[in-house]
Amino acid sequence: MTQHFQHDVLVIGSGAAGLTLALKLADHLRVALLCKDAASGGSTFYAQGGVAGVLDSTDTVAAHVDDTLNAGAGLCDSEAVRFTVGQSKACIDWLIEQGVPFTEDPDNTNNNAYHLTKEGGHSHRRIIHAADATGRAISNTLIARVQQHANIDLYEQRVAIDLVTREKLGIEGNGCCGAYVLNRATDTVELFQARFVALASGGASKSYLYTSNPDGASGDGIAMAWRAGCRIANMEFNQFHPTCLYHPQAKSFLISEALRGEGAALKLPNGERFMERFDPRGELAPRDIVARAIDHEMKRLGCDHLYLDISHKPDEFILEHFPTIHKRCLKFGIDITREAIPVVPAAHYTCGGVMTNLQGRTDVAQLYAIGETAFTGFHGANRLASNSLLECLVFADAAASDILANFENTATPAQAPDWDESQVTDSDEDVIISHNWDELRRFMWDYVGIVRTDKRLQRAEHRIALLKREIAEYYSNYKVSNDLLELRNLICVADLIIQSAMKRKESRGLHYTLDYPNTASQAENTILTPPNWQTQPAEPDTASPASA
Ligand SMILES: Cc1cc2nc3c(=O)[nH]c(=O)nc-3n(C[C@H](O)[C@H](O)[C@H](O)COP(=O)(O)OP(=O)(O)OC[C@H]3O[C@@H](n4cnc5c(N)ncnc54)[C@H](O)[C@@H]3O)c2cc1C
C-alpha cells in the first residue's frame, strides 16, 4: 500500500528557490519540502560569485535592468526584468535578516556595509557575496531556518516521479494536487498531496557531458511539467560556463567569474592572452562570448583545455577573496598564487524552462515553477552573471504571496490512487541505463553544444528518438529507481532542447549555429506546447467537484 502524506503546499526542491518559498509560507501554512538527496544537494550550494542587486547608492535599477536586457540579446521580457530587479534589494535584505553571513566592507567603499563585486556584463559593482562560497552560506543558513520551523516537514532522499493532475485523476479541468515520490531510503513510492505544488527542482545541465552542476540537475521539474501539460520555452539557451577546473579527478568544479572580475587572464598553452581578439571587453565579455572563444581556440589548437591566471595578484588578496578555489586547486596540486589554472567550458545554466507569469504560475492551475526550473522571461537569450539566485528569491517571494492570497479559495484535492506496481519487475539489465546515460550526454555535448549546425541537430534528433523508445519501454516494465527516473527526465529535456534549437533559425545569445550566423531582426521566444496542454488560464481551482 502506498504511504500518503497531506500538506497545504508541496515544494519540490530545496535550493534557494524552494527554501525561500517554504520559509515564506510556513508562518501560515503547512509545507512539505522534498529533495532528492541531502537538503544542500542542489546547485545553490555550489554558487560561488553571489547575488546581483541594486545595493550601491551610485547604482540604479535602470542600470541593472539595462545590463540584463543587453545580456538577454533582445529576448528578455522587459516587464519581468523590471519586476525582478525592482525586488532585488528587498529580497537580499530578507537573506541578511535570515542571517546569511555576506562579506562585510568596513571601509564602506561601495557606499554599502557589504563588499560588492563586479562580474562580466555588469556596469556596476553589485554582487553581494560570502567570500567565494555564497551558495553554501545561503544554503546552510536557510536550511537551518527550515529545520527550526515547526510548519515545514523536510523530506530528504525523495525523488518526485510525476505530478498528480486532475487529468490523471479523470476529473474535468486543469489542476495539480500532488506528486508520486520515490523514497530512496525505503525504495518505495509515496504519495504527497497538497492544495498547491511548486516545482523548484533546478536546471537541466546534466544533459551535457561536462557540467558545473551537481548530479541531480537532470531537469526533473521541466520534464514533469511537460508531461503534466505545461508549455516549455527557450530550451535552446544553455549557458556554458567558460571556466571549469580541468583535472581528471575534479568533478564539476567551477572557477568563478569573479576571478576574471578581479583581473585573472585567460591564456593559451604558450602563455599568450587571446580574449582581446574576440571582444574589446576581453576577459570581462559576457560568458557566451568567452566560452565560444575558448571553444574556438581549443579546437584550433587541438588541446583539451586552456588556462586562467591570477598569479600576478598578491598572495593575501587571492587568499582573502578566493579561499575555496585556492584550497580546492591545491588539493589537485595547483597553487593558484604561483601558476595558471587549467580550465574548460562546461554546461552551467538552463535559461529556458516551465513558462510562468510574474507570480510563478504555470499553465496548470495550482502548479507553480520557480528558480532555474522556470522560464519567467527574465534572462532572455543569455543569463547575466549572478542574476539567477536573484530570480530564485524574487519568484519564490511572488509565488508565496500568490499562494497565500488564494489558499482559502482553493479546494482540498481529490484523493489520488495508490502507485500501481503490479505490472513491473526488478530490472535485470541496469547496463541499459548506464549506457544510455553516457550516450545521451556525449551526443548532446558533441551535437547540441556551444556551436551547433542543422546537421548535428538532426543527428541528435535521430538518436534521441531511439533512446525515447527504449526508455519508455524500460519504464513500463521495470520498477523505478533514481537513475531510471533521471535518465527518463534527461531524455525528455534533451529532446526539448533539440526541438527548440532546431526551431531557431538564427544565432542569438547563447544559441550559436554555423548555418544561421546572423541575428534575426525580430526576437521571438521558442515555445513548445505539449499534446495535453489545456488552453484555459491557470486560475486556482475554486470549484472542484471533489472538494472536501
Ligand atoms: C557551480 C555553480 C556556481 C554558480 N554560481 C552562481 C552565482 O554566483 N550566482 C548566481 O546567481 N547563480 C549561480 N549559479 C546558478 C545558481 O546557483 C542556480 O541557478 C540556482 O542555485 C538554482 O537554484 P534552484 O533553487 O532553482 O535549484 P537548485 O539549487 O539546483 O536546487 C534544486 C533542488 O531540487 C531538488 N530536486 C531536483 N529534482 C527533484 C526531484 N525529482 N524530486 C525531488 N527533488 C528534486 C534537488 O534535490 C535540489 O534540492 C551557479 C551554479 C553552479 C552550478
Side-chain angles (χ1 to χ4, degrees):
M1 212 181 94
T2 305
Q3 191 171 2
H4 290 218
F5 297 87
Q6 183 78 49
H7 291 80
D8 295 329
V9 184
L10 170 63
V11 180
I12 302 175
S14 62
L19 291 165
T20 303
L21 176 61
L23 285 166
K24 294 209 168 183
L25 291 170
D27 286 346
H28 312 278
L29 301 176
R30 195 150 183 83
V31 180
L33 180 59
L34 310 187
C35 50
K36 272 193 199 183
D37 31 48
S40 58
S43 289
T44 297
F45 187 84
Y46 299 91
Q48 296 174 349
V51 190
V54 181
L55 304 166
D56 179 335
S57 59
T58 66
D59 193 7
T60 61
V61 168
H64 190 172
V65 165
D66 277 353
D67 293 343
T68 304
L69 294 175
N70 281 341
L75 213 53
C76 295
D77 175 335
S78 52
E79 200 190 339
V81 176
R82 279 195 299 276
F83 171 72
T84 312
V85 172
Q87 303 291 314
S88 61
K89 183 165 180 340
C91 284
I92 290 168
D93 284 347
W94 180 81
L95 282 182
I96 295 169
E97 275 165 36
Q98 301 308 302
V100 177
F102 288 116
T103 299
E104 294 182 12
D105 180 13
D107 302 333
N108 230 359
T109 27
N110 304 119
N111 310 309
N112 195 287
Y114 293 95
H115 182 260
L116 304 175
T117 57
K118 188 173 167 188
E119 294 183 336
H122 286 279
S123 58
H124 280 74
R125 283 189 172 257
R126 61 166 76 100
I127 321 296
I128 190 163
H129 62 104
D132 62 350
T134 309
R136 186 165 66 201
I138 293 176
S139 203
N140 287 345
T141 307
L142 298 187
I143 290 170
R145 290 271 170 183
V146 158
Q147 284 165 338
Q148 287 157 7
H149 208 299
N151 259 355
I152 304 176
D153 292 327
L154 174 63
Y155 298 90
E156 296 184 319
Q157 305 295 331
R158 299 302 207 287
V159 189
I161 303 169
D162 262 319
L163 298 168
V164 180
T165 57
R166 292 169 70 94
E167 185 197 4
K168 283 193 193 138
L169 297 180
I171 303 172
E172 207 186 309
N174 161 340
C176 178
C177 60
Y180 290 103
V181 174
L182 172 68
N183 180 334
R184 295 171 77 177
T186 60
D187 225 1
T188 55
V189 175
E190 301 165 340
L191 172 62
F192 283 77
Q193 288 208 257
R195 278 195 222 185
F196 289 90
V197 178
L199 294 166
S201 39
S205 291
K206 207 72 193 174
S207 317
Y208 289 96
L209 184 61
Y210 298 113
T211 174
S212 64
N213 286 203
D215 284 345
S218 45
D220 297 7
I222 298 170
M224 283 190 279
W226 173 257
R227 292 192 288 267
C230 295
R231 286 170 301 161
I232 307 290
N234 284 7
M235 288 299 287
E236 68 275 37
F237 296 112
N238 312 102
Q239 186 167 63
F240 291 86
H241 196 286
T243 53
C244 263
L245 176 61
Y246 179 82
H247 189 280
Q249 267 101 52
K251 203 177 167 197
S252 315
F253 187 68
L254 180 127
I255 307 296
S256 163
E257 184 136 23
L259 258 84
R260 281 180 282 128
E262 298 298 346
L266 277 163
K267 293 182 174 172
L268 301 177
N270 65 4
E272 186 195 321
R273 287 179 78 167
F274 59 92
M275 270 313 301
E276 296 281 336
R277 280 198 268 120
F278 292 86
D279 192 287
R281 288 166 288 188
E283 277 79 359
L284 286 182
R287 283 183 181 166
D288 57 318
I289 295 176
V290 180
R292 265 203 304 278
I294 296 177
D295 189 62
H296 178 92
E297 290 300 297
M298 279 169 54
K299 289 202 167 100
R300 183 176 73 82
L301 298 169
C303 47
D304 42 21
H305 64 274
L306 298 182
Y307 293 93
L308 184 67
D309 195 355
I310 194 155
S311 62
H312 55 281
K313 287 273 184 183
D315 290 7
E316 313 78 63
F317 178 89
I318 296 174
L319 294 175
E320 187 196 339
H321 285 265
F322 307 111
T324 311
I325 296 174
H326 176 256
K327 197 164 144 203
R328 187 64 181 261
C329 288
L330 258 192
K331 211 174 124 193
F332 299 110
I334 304 155
D335 180 354
I336 70 171
T337 63
R338 302 270 165 276
E339 60 194 308
I341 310 166
V343 289
V344 274
H348 186 56
Y349 186 80
T350 310
C351 287
V354 186
M355 286 185 76
T356 74
N357 67 8
L358 293 187
Q359 283 78 46
R361 287 189 194 181
T362 68
D363 288 338
V364 171
Q366 283 99 253
L367 178 66
Y368 291 73
I370 51 172
E372 197 170 334
T373 302
F375 165 79
T376 63
F378 177 49
H379 302 300
N382 195 354
R383 176 188 72 123
L384 188 62
S386 289
N387 260 354
S388 43
L389 284 170
L390 172 64
E391 190 192 36
C392 289
L393 303 172
V394 170
F395 281 86
D397 181 68
S401 304
D402 200 52
I403 291 171
L404 290 172
N406 289 289
F407 187 77
E408 289 305 332
N409 300 329
T410 304
T412 303
Q415 182 64 54
D418 281 1
W419 179 252
D420 181 6
E421 281 191 327
S422 58
Q423 308 296 316
V424 295
T425 57
D426 283 322
S427 157
D428 54 357
E429 287 224 355
D430 281 352
V431 67
I432 294 182
I433 298 180
S434 54
H435 176 91
N436 286 346
W437 179 281
D438 290 344
E439 185 183 336
L440 174 88
R441 297 180 63 218
R442 184 166 285 283
F443 77 66
M444 285 298 288
W445 183 259
D446 288 339
Y447 299 152
V448 199
I450 297 173
V451 177
R452 298 162 179 174
T453 66
D454 279 350
K455 218 177 211 160
R456 290 178 192 170
L457 293 175
Q458 279 157 11
R459 287 198 179 112
E461 192 187 29
H462 288 145
R463 277 161 179 79
I464 204 82
L466 282 176
L467 290 188
K468 254 162 84 175
R469 277 202 299 278
E470 258 184 32
I471 288 305
E473 194 194 321
Y474 196 90
Y475 183 76
S476 48
N477 288 326
Y478 297 110
K479 280 175 85 169
V480 291
S481 65
N482 183 49
D483 284 352
L484 171 58
L485 293 171
E486 287 190 344
L487 178 61
R488 175 179 179 241
N489 291 330
L490 278 175
I491 290 174
C492 174
V493 289
D495 190 25
L496 297 171
I497 295 171
I498 296 164
Q499 298 312 321
S500 306
M502 291 182 95
K503 275 176 175 274
R504 189 163 291 283
K505 305 290 185 203
E506 62 163 346
S507 291
R508 180 186 297 275
L510 298 166
H511 175 74
Y512 184 76
T513 159
L514 295 175
D515 291 319
Y516 312 97
N518 299 322
T519 302
S521 53
Q522 193 75 15
E524 280 177 30
N525 291 320
T526 309
I527 298 174
L528 301 179
T529 305
N532 56 344
W533 181 61
Q534 298 187 32
T535 48
Q536 68 263 44
E539 288 302 326
D541 171 14
T542 49
S544 164
S547 66

